Each structure stands twice: as structure tokens, then as C-alpha cells.
Amino acid sequence: MNYWPLLGIAVVVVGFALRLNPVLVVVSAGIVSAMAAGMSLPDLLALLGESFVSNRALLLFCFTLPTIGLLERAGLREHALAWIARLRGVTMVRLLIIYLAVRQGLSMVGLIDIAGHAQTVRPLLAPMAESAAEKTHGELDRAQTQRVHALAAATDNVGRFFGEDVFIAFGAVLLIQGFFAQHGISLTPIQIALWAAPTALAAFVIHAVRIAVFQRRLPRNVQEAPHAAD
Amino acid sequence: MLRIEHFYVLLAVFLAYTSWHNLRAKRYAHAGFWGLVALLFATGEFVLTASKAGDKLPAQMAGIAVIAMAVLATRMRREHIAEAPEEQRRASAQRLGHRLFGPALVIPLATVLIVLLGAKLRIGNVALFAEGNIALPALAVASILAAFAALAITRTRPLQAPIEGSRLLETIGWAALLPLVLATLGGVFAASGVGEAVSSLVTAVIPADNRIACLLAFGLGMVLFTIIMGNAFAAFPVMMAGIGLPLLIQRHGADPAALGALGMLTGYCGTLMTPMAANFNLVPAALLELDDPNAVIRAQLPTAIVLMLTNLMLMYWLVFR
């Protein structure tokens, strides 16, 4: 057994550790592995080219960008923010759990890039979670504020990751289908996407419980601010 | 008849437009990058057909283009691209209200409708969609319908659609290509025998006759590989070719669809744990100006571990039904 192709994995690890551009790291890793497997340069180039174009489907999400761009320009984010602010009884737990549900729901129907760290977490979710937490707990110190912000970012990731595979036409499902097709097993995207549903549900429940536990642990470290006493 | 290849060409036009836009702004690395991607998309079908017929030259040219694209990616800079002024967005949000959600919902709803009914849609005697996988063309058509709906609701001139799309694509930058490049790596790894090397290492260690041991090796391998590679997309083909397909599916009769979906999602738990997944874990820490670059990973870790264990159990119950 030729173990040298595993060098490609080492290239990935080292490249990321050195913070080189990921696209470059990944392409280099492929070249190293193929060369270690004893592939000739012409074969290597052909393999790289063929592999790239056969995975073109993964860029199809670009078709949704014009719509999202137009809606953003027309105030989609501003409307969503105003709408959430109008809802009464918003606490940090409710806010983050609702966000988790909405994010998971949107990502489940393919709208992955409508939210995200740059689009929603930094401008909307993190500050909203902070102010909602202060409503119940009084002023937060710097370390606590940062933990609330980190939790908001984590909530976005969990919602995104464990929703997207339930939609039939997105990246991961297509990759799975493509892999099996290459190995002679033909499956429809729906057959695969169905099996992502139990995990999606589990992810929601687990993370929601964690958000609630986080809030319950918060007040222990917080000095009751005077305005929160009444 | 509409086939997915037609939409790849349309996507190539959009990418070429993004490239041209950058060229005018004298951002040459960006223009070159998107130009190459556009070219690869426009010629993809030709490359694959020629390759199948035994002519490897187009595929080799494509390979050179991929390498050039990777080099250009290192020279790309993220720049803030002007958005509509906030005042204007607020006024428009007030005016349009919930109607803004409409076009966004058209994408999934229309996709699902077309997937369910698409085979029956015909113009005269000709079927609208070619036979085969209809989900991808459905997504493309639904997105185009949604863009028109957005134009109608916001009353914008049509040309604004590609402009806004380009603006978003430019904000994502080279990262937009990362899933595709990682899938490419998966393909190259598979052809170079990385999967076999892993599988031979694993089978030397675990009892291959024990399906629980195989399942654990597969699930934990997905997590470990994802932590190393930063992305479950690259881990998947390696683990599937090494353990999933030969041991779990062929030897122990696991259900491929369930194993594929649950295996991938188990890998996602690894994404939550690793700084290698920079886009999701390090970038937000930087965006939120947190003191600890690993703060987001710390916030995710308990969820990731509990979910990983849940997934392993789900796999055991569901793949060997």
C-alpha cells in the first residue's frame, strides 16, 4: 500500500496553520497527493480540470445572489430588524432560539446567504442579544458581553449547518449524490435530504437547551444593576 | 429542453460580468479570477465530453486554469463595495414591509414545485426539462423567477439585478469557490488513493467484521478529518471511499442515502470544533472583535460534542434498518 498520497493532508494542515490562502492550499494539496501517487503531470492536470468542472453544481447558489442583493438594497435586513424589535417579551434566550429556528428554516429552504456573520450577526444579532441579556440581568461586564457575542455567532453556525442539508439542491446533498453516482449507486437528492431531518431537529433541541442554560448561569456573575431592580 | 448545462452557461455570463466590472475598476487579479471561473463554467461540458472521448487536452487546459485561479486568489483583497444608503433602505423597508419576504420565499417554493411537477411541464410536444436530475435546473429557474419577483416588488430597473448579485459575489470573494475547490480536492484524493491508504490504516486497527466498530471508525473519522481539513466536503469522499463504501455499505449492508446524509452531518460537528474552518469560526471572532480568537469554537463545543454523539446513535439506528 502506497501511503505517500497522505502527504496531501499534511499540506492542508501546514497551509492552514501558516494562514495561506485556502484556495491555494487546497489546490496544492491535490497536486502533492497526485504526484505522491505517481501520477504524471499531464494526467494530474487533466484530473484537476475534470474534477473541477464536474463539481460545477456547487456554485449554483450564485443564481440566488441577484434576488438577495435586490432585497437587501430594498431594506430586507432593516425590515427584519424592525419586525423582531416590535415583538414583545424578547429575552436573550427567546431571541437566540427564534433566530436559530429562522436561520435553520431559511437554510433548509436554500437561503443560506441571506444571513451570516457579516450580514446579520455583527450588525444585528450580537448587539440585540447583548441588550436583551442586559434587560434581564443588568449590565454585563466585558468578558460576559464577549461570551454573549460568541454565543450569537455560534447560534448562526449551528442554524446554518444543520438546516442546509435538508434542502434538496444544495452543496452537501449534491456532493453525496455525486459520490454515489460515481460508484454506481444512483440516488435522488430527496432520498438523501430526508435523512438530514432527524439531525436538524436534534441540533435545534440541543443548541436551544444550551442557550437556556447559558442564560441561567449568567446572573450568578452579574451584579444587579440599579435600574434592573424595579 | 432545458438542461443544467444551459444554466452553467448563464452562470458563466454572470461571472464574466463580474470579471468585466472588476476590469473597469482596474482590479486585475479579481478580474482574472472571475474571468477564469467564467471560462471554466462556459467550457465545462465541452471539457467533459472531450475527456470522455479520449481527448485529454481540454481537461489539461482546465487544470492549468484551476492552478492559475488558485494563484490569483492569493492576490484578491476584500474591499467595501458601496451599498444603498441606510436612510433609503429604511424608507423602503417601511414602505414594502412583509412583501420583502415574498421573492425570497419564491426560491424554495418554486424549486420544490418544479421538482414535483417538472416532468409534466411541456410546451406543445416538447418536455420543458430534460430527463434526469431536475433539482438543479429547478433551483436555477426558481432563482430567476425570484429575481423577476424582486424587480417587480421593488420597482428597480432590471440591470440592477446582476449589479447587486455581483456586489454580493464580490463580498464573498474567493471563499465562494471554496466548496467547489474542496470537492475537487476530494476527487483528486480519491484518484490518488488517499481513501485506500486511510482505509488500510483503519482496517489494520479495527475489527472489520464488527459493524459497530466500522460505524464508529467512519463517524469519528469524518469528525477528525473535518477538523484537520476544516471542511466536511473534503473529508466525505475520503472516509466514504475508505470505510463507508467498502465496509459499511458493501460488507454490512448499510443504507447509502442515510449513511451519506448522517455521515456528512457528523462531519459538520467537526466543523464547529476547528480553527481550520476559518470562515465560520475565526472570521466571526474577528468581526465581533473578541479577545479570544477561539471564543466562537468554545461557545460551540458542547453543542458539537452532544450532537456528534446523537448522530452516531442515529446512524446506528437508521443505516442498518
Side-chain angles (χ1 to χ4, degrees):
Chain A
M1 173 57 66
N2 180 6
Y3 288 107
W4 288 109
L6 295 176
L7 268 182
I9 295 170
V11 171
V12 175
V13 175
V14 173
F16 272 105
L18 295 176
R19 309 247 169 130
L20 300 176
N21 181 292
V23 177
L24 187 69
V25 170
V26 167
V27 171
S28 313
I31 294 174
V32 167
S33 261
M35 277 169 53
M39 210 175 278
S40 72
L41 186 67
D43 284 351
L44 187 163
L45 288 175
L47 173 63
L48 203 57
E50 243 175 89
S51 241
F52 185 91
V53 294
S54 24
N55 284 304
R56 280 173 298 165
L58 292 173
L59 209 63
L60 270 183
F61 77 88
C62 286
F63 270 113
T64 63
L65 295 180
T67 306
I68 295 168
L70 284 169
L71 295 176
E72 265 190 7
R73 187 184 139 90
L76 179 64
R77 258 176 298 170
E78 285 71 15
H79 173 64
L81 182 57
W83 180 52
I84 289 172
R86 265 205 313 274
L87 301 173
R88 274 184 300 141
V90 175
T91 62
M92 190 200 79
V93 175
R94 285 184 198 156
L95 176 77
L96 288 182
I97 292 178
I98 290 170
Y99 182 84
L100 179 65
V102 171
R103 180 76 163 121
Q104 229 180 343
L106 288 174
S107 134
M108 218 173 260
V109 292
L111 295 168
I112 292 170
D113 295 298
I114 203 167
H117 297 296
Q119 302 96 310
T120 44
V121 176
R122 183 193 147 108
L124 306 176
L125 188 65
M128 283 168 75
E130 182 188 333
S131 73
E134 286 186 340
K135 258 203 285 196
T136 26
H137 298 296
E139 205 146 332
L140 304 182
D141 64 28
R142 185 179 158 78
Q144 287 165 330
T145 306
Q146 295 213 354
R147 283 181 55 215
V148 171
H149 285 184
L151 185 68
T155 304
D156 186 80
N157 280 340
V158 173
R160 177 199 164 110
F161 289 177
F162 299 99
E164 66 176 354
D165 275 16
V166 185
F167 187 59
I168 46 178
F170 263 87
V173 174
L174 298 176
L175 185 65
I176 297 167
Q177 189 202 19
F179 175 89
F180 282 129
Q182 274 169 22
H183 292 84
I185 301 174
S186 94
L187 295 168
T188 64
I190 295 178
Q191 281 175 298
I192 300 166
L194 174 75
W195 294 108
T199 305
L201 191 66
F204 177 79
V205 173
I206 292 167
H207 197 68
V209 168
R210 284 211 45 236
I211 293 169
V213 171
F214 179 94
Q215 166 135 332
R216 286 188 58 178
R217 285 191 186 159
L218 207 52
R220 276 196 294 207
N221 315 318
V222 178
Q223 268 205 319
E224 203 70 13
H227 66 265
D230 52 17
Chain B
M1 283 202 304
L2 290 172
R3 283 185 304 131
I4 188 60
E5 285 78 14
H6 299 131
F7 295 102
Y8 289 145
V9 173
L10 188 60
L11 195 53
V13 174
F14 172 62
L15 293 164
Y17 171 82
T18 307
S19 166
W20 179 69
H21 209 71
N22 277 303
L23 197 63
R24 281 207 317 183
K26 297 198 166 46
R27 290 149 55 96
Y28 296 116
H30 296 246
F33 180 86
W34 294 119
L36 283 173
V37 182
L39 195 66
L40 284 163
F41 268 70
T43 59
E45 198 189 5
F46 168 69
V47 168
L48 291 177
T49 330
S51 193
K52 221 171 254 165
D55 178 10
K56 290 283 178 193
L57 189 65
Q60 288 161 356
M61 301 297 284
I64 293 173
V66 171
I67 295 174
M69 185 198 82
V71 173
L72 281 171
T74 61
R75 308 198 50 88
M76 287 168 80
R77 298 273 168 277
R78 232 168 246 187
E79 270 172 50
H80 187 73
I81 296 165
E83 236 181 305
E86 196 183 326
E87 274 309 299
Q88 190 188 317
R89 295 205 307 267
R90 263 184 217 290
S92 152
Q94 198 124 59
R95 188 162 45 89
L96 296 169
H98 283 330
R99 265 178 293 172
L100 282 167
F101 292 130
L105 289 172
V106 166
I107 299 175
L109 293 180
T111 307
V112 171
L113 267 181
I114 296 172
V115 168
L116 295 177
L117 305 175
K120 296 199 188 88
L121 293 177
R122 22 182 87 249
I123 297 171
N125 270 332
V126 185
L128 190 54
F129 292 96
E131 285 198 26
N133 184 357
I134 205 168
L136 296 178
L139 173 68
V141 171
S143 303
I144 294 164
L145 291 176
F148 280 109
L151 285 172
I153 284 176
T154 61
R155 308 213 177 154
T156 332
R157 63 200 171 99
L159 200 62
Q160 198 68 36
I163 293 177
E164 292 297 324
S166 248
R167 171 176 71 79
L168 282 187
L169 186 61
E170 200 61 53
T171 353
I172 310 174
W174 51 257
L177 261 291
L178 209 49
L180 210 172
V181 182
L182 282 163
T184 308
L185 179 66
V188 176
F189 270 7
S192 324
V194 173
E196 283 87 346
V198 170
S199 141
S200 120
L201 280 180
V202 171
T203 37
V205 188
I206 63 161
D209 282 330
N210 183 335
R211 64 186 194 183
I212 296 182
C214 293
L215 196 67
L216 279 178
F218 174 73
L220 296 176
M222 271 304 293
V223 174
L224 185 70
F225 250 68
T226 304
I227 289 175
I228 293 172
M229 317 271 288
N231 191 309
F233 279 29
F236 185 80
V238 173
M239 297 313 295
M240 209 45 159
I243 305 175
L245 195 61
L247 296 181
L248 286 167
I249 294 174
Q250 286 161 0
R251 192 150 164 182
H252 295 296
D255 176 59
L259 188 70
L262 288 164
M264 183 69 93
L265 290 166
T266 310
Y268 281 15
C269 298
T271 317
L272 295 174
M273 303 178 192
T274 176
M276 295 289 184
N279 286 348
F280 301 113
N281 296 338
L282 301 184
V283 171
L287 270 174
L288 293 167
E289 295 162 54
L290 305 181
D291 297 333
D292 173 9
N294 292 317
V296 178
I297 298 177
R298 269 181 236 287
Q300 281 163 182
L301 208 52
T303 303
I305 291 171
V306 178
L307 189 58
M308 180 186 80
L309 297 174
T310 311
N311 257 341
L312 290 173
M313 286 192 286
L314 281 173
M315 257 201 260
Y316 179 68
W317 288 326
L318 298 175
V319 305
F320 297 123
R321 275 163 302 128

